[in-house]
Amino acid sequence: MRLLGFLVLLVLCISGKIRGEVSTQNWKEIEKINKKGPYIGIVVPNAFEMNPLLESSSFHADSKSPFFDFAGKRFRIGKLEKKRVIIVMSGLSMLNAGFATQLLVTLFKVKGVVHHGIAGNANPQLQIGDVTVPQFWAHTGLWNWQRFGHGAEDKLALEVNGDYTRKFGHLNFSNFNNHKKLVLNLLNSVWYQPEEVFPINSIPEVRQHAFWVPVDNKYFQVAKKLKNVKLEGCVNKTACLPRNPKVVRVKRGISSNVFVDNKAYRQFLSSKFNATAIDMESAAVALTCLQYQTPFIAIRALSDLAGDDSSSLSNEASLYASLASQNAVTVLIKFISLLPS
C-alpha cells in the first residue's frame, strides 16, 4: 500500500508539472527568493546578449539560490552593482518576451524591469554600436489589412464596431511599386492597430487600448546620466567603427515579429513613426509592464542600419552583434549602478 501511495503521489506530481501548475515545493522556493527582495528584473532575449552580463565582474550569483527553473525559463538570482536582480532570458519574439516578463512580475517581488539587447536602426544619423534608450515603445505588428479595391472612403473590417482604428500609421503598398513597370499591387493598404490591454487594477474583461507605451519617467531621467559612458568601437584590430559609439535617449522604438532588412520599409518606419530602435521584443515587455503597472525601461544597442546599402556599415549585424551586445550590457550595468538602493 505504501508503494502504491508513493506511485500515486508521483503520478500526481508529474501530471501537475505537465499542466504547468506551480507545485508546493516551487512555491516554497519562490517565497524563499522573495524574502530577499524586492528585485530589479532584467529581461534579455538571447544567450549572446545575456552572456556578457553573466560574465561581468559586476554580477554575483546568489550563493544559496543562484537560479530557479520554471516553465522552460531559468531565473538567475544575484546582485548587479550591489542591487538585487533576477535575470531571465526570454527567447526571440514578442510572444516569448511577453511570457517571460509576465512570469517574472507574477512569481517574484519585482520593483522594476530593465530590458536590454541589440536592435536594428531606423535612424541614419546614428551608427552601429550606438546605444539607444527610447522614451516610447509600440508594437507595429498588429494590422488591419484593407480589402483590395477599397480606398480612404471605405471602412476597415469591423471598424464600425469600434474594434479597429485608423489613428496610428498607414502603409500603402502601392507607394512602393516600380511604376516604370506598371506593376498592379494587389496588397492595397494596412493600418496599424493599438493593443488591447487589461491593467491589473481595472475591471476584468473591460478592455483598454495602448499604442505608444512610455517607459518609466524616473528611469528615463536616470538615463540622462548615461551619455558619457565609454563604449567599445572595435570588434578586433581590423574592424572598427568610424567614430566612438555613444548613448542616446531617443523618442521612439518599435517592435514586431519581423527582422527588418529592407531599406524602403526602414525609411517608412522612420518617417511615419519617428522610430530609431527596431526589435522583436521590447514592446512586449513594455505592454506587460504596463498591465502590471511595473516601472520599465529598455536599453537597445544598434547592430545594423536595417536594410540600407549606402554604406559599408549598412547591414553588418553578423559582424557587429557581439560589439553591440557588449555595449548594451555596459550601459545596463551603469544604469543599474545609478538606481537608488
Side-chain angles (χ1 to χ4, degrees):
M1 288 298 291
R2 288 183 179 179
L3 177 59
L4 178 60
F6 171 76
L7 291 174
V8 170
L9 180 61
L10 180 61
V11 169
L12 288 173
C13 290
I14 293 173
S15 63
K17 289 182 179 179
I18 292 172
R19 291 195 302 269
E21 296 170 359
V22 183
S23 68
T24 302
Q25 183 58 42
N26 278 340
W27 276 126
K28 288 180 179 178
E29 185 65 25
I30 291 167
E31 288 173 358
K32 186 168 67 173
I33 293 168
N34 283 335
K35 282 181 180 179
K36 297 182 180 180
Y39 297 86
I40 299 167
I42 298 175
V43 181
V44 56
N46 294 305
F48 74 88
E49 294 162 307
M50 181 175 66
N51 287 340
L53 175 58
L54 299 180
E55 294 166 2
S56 166
S57 59
S58 296
F59 175 71
H60 301 280
D62 189 280
S63 58
K64 295 183 178 178
S65 301
F67 61 85
F68 174 74
D69 292 341
F70 183 76
K73 304 297 180 188
R74 172 160 289 185
F75 297 88
R76 300 173 187 271
I77 321 297
K79 286 187 176 182
L80 184 64
E81 290 293 304
K82 300 180 180 180
K83 311 288 171 50
R84 295 192 182 278
V85 297
I86 298 180
I87 304 168
V88 59
M89 187 182 80
S90 65
L92 187 73
S93 84
M94 297 282 286
L95 175 62
N96 282 323
F99 174 62
T101 305
Q102 184 158 9
L103 285 176
L104 175 68
V105 299
T106 301
L107 297 177
F108 301 104
K109 189 183 292 185
V110 171
K111 61 182 178 181
V113 173
V114 184
H115 179 54
H116 82 278
I118 66 173
N121 176 26
N123 183 354
Q125 302 305 312
L126 298 179
Q127 72 165 23
I128 289 171
D130 287 344
V131 178
T132 63
V133 185
Q135 186 178 10
F136 297 92
W137 285 93
H139 175 207
T140 55
L142 187 57
W143 293 356
N144 188 322
W145 209 306
Q146 194 168 43
R147 184 173 295 179
F148 176 68
H150 283 195
E153 70 284 357
D154 297 298
K155 294 290 185 182
L156 298 174
L158 302 179
E159 185 178 6
V160 294
N161 297 335
D163 291 322
Y164 295 99
T165 179
R166 304 188 197 202
K167 185 177 179 181
F168 304 102
H170 171 226
L171 172 59
N172 187 338
F173 288 99
S174 65
N175 291 340
F176 301 92
N177 284 350
N178 185 335
H179 295 287
K180 292 181 181 179
K181 295 183 180 180
L182 299 175
V183 177
L184 176 63
N185 195 306
L186 302 178
L187 295 177
N188 200 6
S189 300
V190 296
W191 295 87
Y192 293 79
Q193 301 300 316
E195 288 275 3
E196 292 184 354
V197 295
F198 302 87
I200 58 173
N201 65 341
S202 65
I203 301 173
E205 298 182 354
V206 174
R207 65 181 178 175
Q208 300 177 35
H209 289 90
F211 191 76
W212 292 113
V213 180
V215 303
D216 180 74
N217 185 58
K218 290 181 180 178
Y219 282 179
F220 196 61
Q221 293 306 311
V222 171
K224 275 185 180 179
K225 302 175 183 178
L226 299 172
K227 62 181 180 180
N228 294 323
V229 175
K230 271 192 172 182
L231 300 174
E232 290 294 328
C234 294
V235 178
N236 51 48
K237 292 181 179 179
T238 59
C240 290
L241 297 167
R243 63 162 172 79
N244 288 332
K246 58 185 179 180
V247 183
V248 186
R249 294 195 312 165
V250 298
K251 194 69 176 176
R252 291 171 172 174
I254 58 177
S255 309
S256 66
N257 285 335
V258 178
F259 184 91
V260 177
D261 194 14
N262 182 278
K263 180 180 178 180
Y265 191 56
R266 173 187 67 78
Q267 291 175 334
F268 168 81
L269 294 174
S270 177
S271 62
K272 178 64 71 173
F273 296 114
N274 188 26
T276 297
I278 306 172
D279 69 28
M280 302 173 74
E281 295 87 19
S282 294
V285 182
L287 284 159
T288 304
C289 289
L290 172 68
Q291 299 196 80
Y292 278 80
Q293 298 193 330
T294 302
F296 156 82
I297 198 167
I299 296 167
R300 284 285 185 161
L302 306 177
S303 60
D304 61 279
L305 185 57
D308 195 2
D309 55 4
S310 61
S311 163
S312 61
L313 295 175
S314 62
N315 191 18
E316 301 289 351
S318 59
L319 176 61
Y320 287 98
S322 60
L323 181 148
S325 296
Q326 182 58 61
N327 282 352
V329 169
T330 299
V331 175
L332 167 75
I333 292 172
K334 182 61 177 179
F335 176 81
I336 295 294
S337 74
L338 293 171
L339 294 178
S341 298

